[in-house]
Amino acid sequence: MKGLPFRLEIIEADTKWIVSCSSECGEAMIRTPAPYSESELQAALAKVENSLTKSYSKILTRGSTSTERPVREFGERLADTLLRDEILIQFDRCRNLAKAQRKPLRILLRTNGTHVDHIPWEYLVDPSRDDYLALRIPLVRYLRIMNPVPPLPLTLPLRVLGISARPSDLPALEEGRERERIAQVLQRPSSDNVEVHWLSGDRWQDLAKELRSGSWHVLHFVCHGGFDEDRNSGYIHLSGDDGAARPLHANDFERLIADSGNLRLIVLNACESAVSRSEEAFRSTAANLVHAGVPAVVAMQYEITDEAALIFSSAFYEHIADGRPVDRAVTLAREEVKMRLGSLEWATPVLLLASDETQIFDPKPQERQPPGSLRLLAEVGSCSHVALGPSNLLAAACANGVVRIFDGTDGRPVSQCMPVQREEPLRVAWSPWRRHVASRHLDGTVIVWDLQTEVPVRVIGAGGHDDGLAFSANGRWLALTVGDHVHVYDVRGARVRDLPVRPPEEAGPGRPGQPGNLGPIAFAPGDRHVVVACGDGLVRQLDVQGRLVMTWPHPQPVLSLAFTDDLLATGCLDGRVRLWSWEGQLLRRTDHGRPATQLAFSAGVRALAVADDEGVVAIRDLDTWKATIAARLASRPVGLAFLEGGTGLVTGTREGVVESWSLTG
């Protein structure tokens, strides 16, 4: 449900604060004396931090009134300064409106000033409820970034990448227990909604490689952090090659996450990670990440114990995976810490948002499948094609310009190929050897990649905006469509054939349309002929001289092809799938339905997998022609293949969700 925002801004002006608010109920502004002088504020903040430390001390009783009193007095004094006069009137109106409309209220806080930027506003007390506002109403730091990232359609589980930095020259965090305890809680099998993977290394290179080869929704850091006075920038500590601490400053962090299209949330479990110490809020590590395009960042304004961290994190991620807005998830996780520990650490996490959009994920419900029938292999971001190659390797043509290679059995990243020009790849094609894959890009470039070195071995300036691309079975030839021609290249990248597609009169007079707008292309068995789908509805088989060998007529253009040594399958725009012999005889066809954009024959059994443009995947028995629904995808399919060894069916969607479906569950 869309919430009701109450925007509150505090600007520091010498010894006064300018406080303004805006909401659906109206606007207001007041000028008020600052509640503390500079020296008084430093003393008050020291008392707050001391009370926070005492609240989780094993020596004192948690929840002690005397321990909490300085914090409560601090929060009340802030409230007396901010929530008064017209501001309080507008706040009460907004709260009543939210209640009447059954909408969640949230406070979006912006600060501007050396001192106000450092105040722990989460301890602000609600004057009418005698309780902390942040435990009742989401209170977030609002940076108001232009063009914020939209919510990510999320297929569960929520994928969290954890990084625990252990530099040899820094003290172990909480005696080395924090990472293990958080990992324990988050990796318990109590919920299928959250999947956590902890990075084995803690160097910049380790993190960069994982971000470039995987698809993560959340980054969770357990590390030391701080603020560099000379650079006026926040940082976190990773490890260098020698094992010693290596600071990762905010601007370095920005570059690191630049290509992580599915990343929507970063949790910085590092002391001082939310601190700015500058009038420019974007200087802090957390704010810099928001500025770089991350919709939400949770950072710690004080050191946090491992016990509070694990309670907060586990509750927070569960609420996110349940589809709750990020601000509500933080508030509920705060309450969990408050009720279970009784300490003041519930206010240590700070939520920073790029905009007033708090629904950073949009979980999509899935149809229930039999146990073990579905496995998420990877989420690679928006992509145009996913193809299966030798040894069950998968290649994905991603919209961010990257060709990602991963294992089709377990989703393990294998390689990542990034063209210099980063033009979007439209299609990928596998050589018979697992080392080489070709990609065709939006600018007409075709690249053949060496997956061992992740660099091109051939670059072909084919031109055109077509996406037809196919290797021969022996790997010696690469065919592609350019306009109404088929070009064939050898292993050196030299064009050895230019095959014009013949006019429709060649197959019989009176056929509508032209052969242009060529569709899917493939080498026929034996590699001596090329098969290409044409815009006039004919599928043509051409020999090496461009002579027409065979045609398969259709009433409309063909969208997909698949073949075996004795069968050819076609998916037509008219909504029918047809099964042909290589001699041109129509053997079977389906009734009219939705157009099939993906087809795949099984090597193990006589079966044909069909995926239509609405994401329904069916498997047809070639002997009986009966169909069984195997899967229902969340979006348009861009890849379909049977894994080698009969281990399942792999599907890929336009949103980059790659899944493996068991055929025996």
Side-chain angles (χ1 to χ4, degrees):
M1 180 187 298
K2 191 70 174 177
L4 193 62
F6 182 80
R7 298 176 181 86
L8 187 64
E9 184 168 7
I10 303 118
I11 299 174
E12 197 174 328
D14 295 326
T15 60
K16 292 185 180 295
W17 287 0
I18 302 173
V19 183
S20 61
C21 70
S22 63
S23 69
E24 290 186 16
C25 298
E27 300 179 353
M29 185 182 72
I30 62 172
R31 291 176 178 268
T32 181
Y36 298 98
S37 66
E38 183 174 350
S39 60
E40 289 173 340
L41 179 60
Q42 296 306 316
L45 291 176
K47 287 182 180 179
V48 167
E49 189 166 359
N50 185 49
S51 293
L52 171 62
T53 303
K54 287 182 179 180
S55 73
Y56 57 76
S57 171
K58 295 180 180 179
I59 300 176
L60 298 175
T61 302
R62 291 185 175 182
S64 168
T65 304
S66 60
T67 298
E68 187 181 356
R69 185 177 296 117
V71 175
R72 176 61 69 107
E73 292 174 350
F74 181 76
E76 290 172 348
R77 191 161 179 178
L78 291 179
D80 290 341
T81 305
L82 300 183
L83 301 178
R84 55 182 292 184
D85 303 332
E86 287 298 317
I87 302 293
L88 181 58
I89 292 172
Q90 293 294 339
F91 179 65
D92 286 339
R93 285 177 178 171
C94 196
R95 178 154 52 184
N96 292 334
L97 179 63
K99 185 177 180 179
Q101 295 182 350
R102 298 180 181 273
K103 290 183 178 181
L105 178 65
R106 62 176 58 98
I107 299 174
L108 303 176
L109 179 68
R110 283 172 55 85
T111 59
N112 188 345
T114 305
H115 301 109
V116 293
D117 287 346
H118 294 92
I119 289 176
W121 296 100
E122 288 66 23
Y123 287 127
L124 187 67
V125 171
D126 185 344
S128 62
R129 305 291 172 87
D130 194 31
D131 195 6
Y132 298 105
L133 264 175
L135 287 174
R136 291 178 171 269
I137 300 171
L139 189 153
V140 303
R141 313 298 179 93
Y142 168 51
L143 300 184
R144 200 162 59 191
I145 306 299
M146 296 295 291
N147 301 318
V149 178
L152 176 71
L154 174 63
T155 301
L156 296 175
L158 180 74
R159 303 191 69 225
V160 181
L161 176 62
I163 303 97
S164 176
R166 304 174 298 279
S168 58
D169 56 344
L170 291 178
L173 285 166
E174 295 291 339
E175 300 178 356
R177 294 184 300 162
E178 183 171 16
R179 175 187 182 274
E180 288 73 16
R181 294 192 64 181
I182 292 177
Q184 262 186 352
V185 171
L186 296 183
Q187 290 179 318
R188 286 175 186 167
S190 59
S191 171
D192 295 328
N193 289 340
V194 183
E195 176 184 303
V196 180
H197 169 73
W198 285 90
L199 195 64
S200 57
D202 63 349
R203 302 177 306 160
W204 178 88
Q205 300 96 309
D206 301 320
L207 178 57
K209 182 177 181 181
E210 188 63 40
L211 286 178
R212 289 168 183 160
S213 60
S215 178
W216 303 100
H217 305 128
V218 182
L219 293 185
H220 184 106
F221 285 88
V222 179
C223 56
H224 286 283
F227 192 86
D228 188 327
E229 298 284 1
D230 293 333
R231 297 180 61 164
N232 199 27
S233 173
Y235 64 84
I236 62 171
H237 273 304
L238 299 181
S239 294
D241 292 335
D242 59 356
R246 181 191 185 280
L248 183 67
H249 286 85
N251 55 350
D252 300 322
F253 217 147
E254 289 182 45
R255 294 194 302 272
L256 189 64
I257 64 172
D259 296 324
S260 301
N262 285 339
L263 186 64
R264 293 295 187 272
L265 172 65
I266 293 179
V267 177
L268 295 173
N269 193 357
C271 59
E272 294 191 0
S273 56
V275 173
S276 173
R277 300 189 188 177
S278 167
E279 293 181 2
E280 175 54 68
F282 290 138
R283 292 295 184 183
S284 76
T285 308
N288 264 55
L289 295 176
V290 174
H291 194 219
V294 180
V297 176
V298 175
M300 305 302 156
Q301 58 185 335
Y302 298 109
E303 292 189 38
I304 188 168
T305 62
D306 59 342
E307 191 173 14
L310 70 91
I311 292 173
F312 176 85
S313 298
S314 56
F316 174 65
Y317 291 138
E318 288 291 347
H319 291 308
I320 287 290
D322 285 342
R324 288 186 172 88
V326 63
D327 60 332
R328 182 60 178 161
V330 167
T331 303
L332 292 173
R334 291 189 196 282
E335 184 180 38
E336 191 84 9
V337 175
K338 175 72 164 62
M339 298 307 295
R340 292 181 59 179
L341 296 183
S343 74
L344 293 167
E345 289 180 281
W346 58 265
T348 295
V350 175
L351 173 62
L352 292 87
L353 290 181
S355 70
D356 60 1
E357 176 60 71
T358 60
Q359 192 72 54
I360 59 174
F361 295 112
D362 183 16
K364 299 296 183 184
Q366 297 187 40
E367 292 189 4
R368 289 191 175 273
Q369 303 290 332
S373 67
L374 167 65
R375 182 179 184 185
L376 177 67
L377 291 177
E379 290 184 280
V380 297
S382 178
C383 68
S384 56
H385 188 218
V386 177
L388 182 71
S391 305
N392 282 333
L393 290 180
L394 287 167
C398 302
N400 63 356
V402 180
V403 177
R404 301 185 189 277
I405 312 298
F406 47 96
D407 193 305
T409 59
D410 59 14
R412 175 178 52 85
V414 175
S415 300
Q416 180 170 264
C417 304
M418 293 185 290
V420 174
Q421 80 280 7
R422 300 299 291 275
E423 285 285 347
E424 178 181 351
L426 302 176
R427 195 164 188 86
V428 287
W430 282 94
S431 154
W433 306 292
R434 58 176 288 162
R435 184 166 178 171
H436 291 152
V437 69
S439 58
R440 188 164 188 181
H441 297 258
L442 188 61
D443 62 354
T445 302
V446 176
I447 303 175
V448 180
W449 298 93
D450 183 332
L451 299 184
Q452 184 170 325
T453 61
E454 300 182 350
V455 299
V457 293
R458 291 195 298 279
V459 178
I460 300 170
H465 298 286
D466 309 72
D467 64 355
L469 185 67
F471 262 110
S472 61
N474 60 17
R476 295 179 59 188
W477 316 107
L478 184 65
L480 50 102
T481 56
V482 180
D484 58 357
H485 287 238
V486 174
H487 293 171
V488 181
Y489 293 81
D490 64 14
V491 293
R492 298 169 300 173
R495 192 169 77 189
V496 295
R497 290 288 186 272
D498 180 358
L499 309 178
V501 178
R502 302 302 182 188
E505 289 77 13
E506 200 169 341
R511 289 193 59 81
Q514 294 296 325
N517 302 317
L518 302 184
I521 188 172
F523 280 89
D527 291 341
R528 296 181 59 83
H529 295 164
V530 172
V531 178
V532 59
C534 305
D536 58 3
L538 283 180
V539 175
R540 289 170 164 81
Q541 183 178 356
L542 309 174
D543 68 10
V544 294
Q545 302 300 325
R547 293 187 292 258
L548 194 64
V549 177
M550 180 60 63
T551 61
W552 294 268
H554 298 77
Q556 295 185 49
V558 168
L559 306 176
S560 53
L561 295 174
F563 65 88
T564 67
D565 287 343
D566 56 352
L567 295 172
L568 174 69
T570 59
C572 183
L573 188 61
D574 68 354
R576 280 180 162 164
V577 175
R578 294 170 172 83
L579 197 63
W580 308 82
S581 71
W582 282 103
E583 291 73 34
Q585 180 183 359
L586 178 62
L587 304 176
R588 293 184 181 275
R589 71 178 182 182
T590 64
D591 295 331
H592 286 288
R594 291 179 291 267
T597 57
Q598 301 291 323
L599 298 172
F601 280 105
S602 170
V605 295
R606 286 178 55 80
L608 173 69
V610 180
D612 66 33
D613 59 0
E614 291 191 6
V616 177
V617 181
I619 297 179
R620 287 192 172 272
D621 185 297
L622 295 182
D623 295 320
T624 66
W625 205 233
K626 291 183 178 179
T628 302
I629 301 298
R632 295 183 185 273
L633 310 181
S635 61
R636 180 182 174 88
V638 295
L640 180 70
F642 286 94
L643 291 170
E644 296 177 6
T647 55
L649 182 72
V650 171
T651 60
T653 68
R654 174 71 67 180
E655 277 68 33
V657 178
V658 183
E659 297 166 308
S660 175
W661 303 80
S662 171
L663 303 180
T664 58

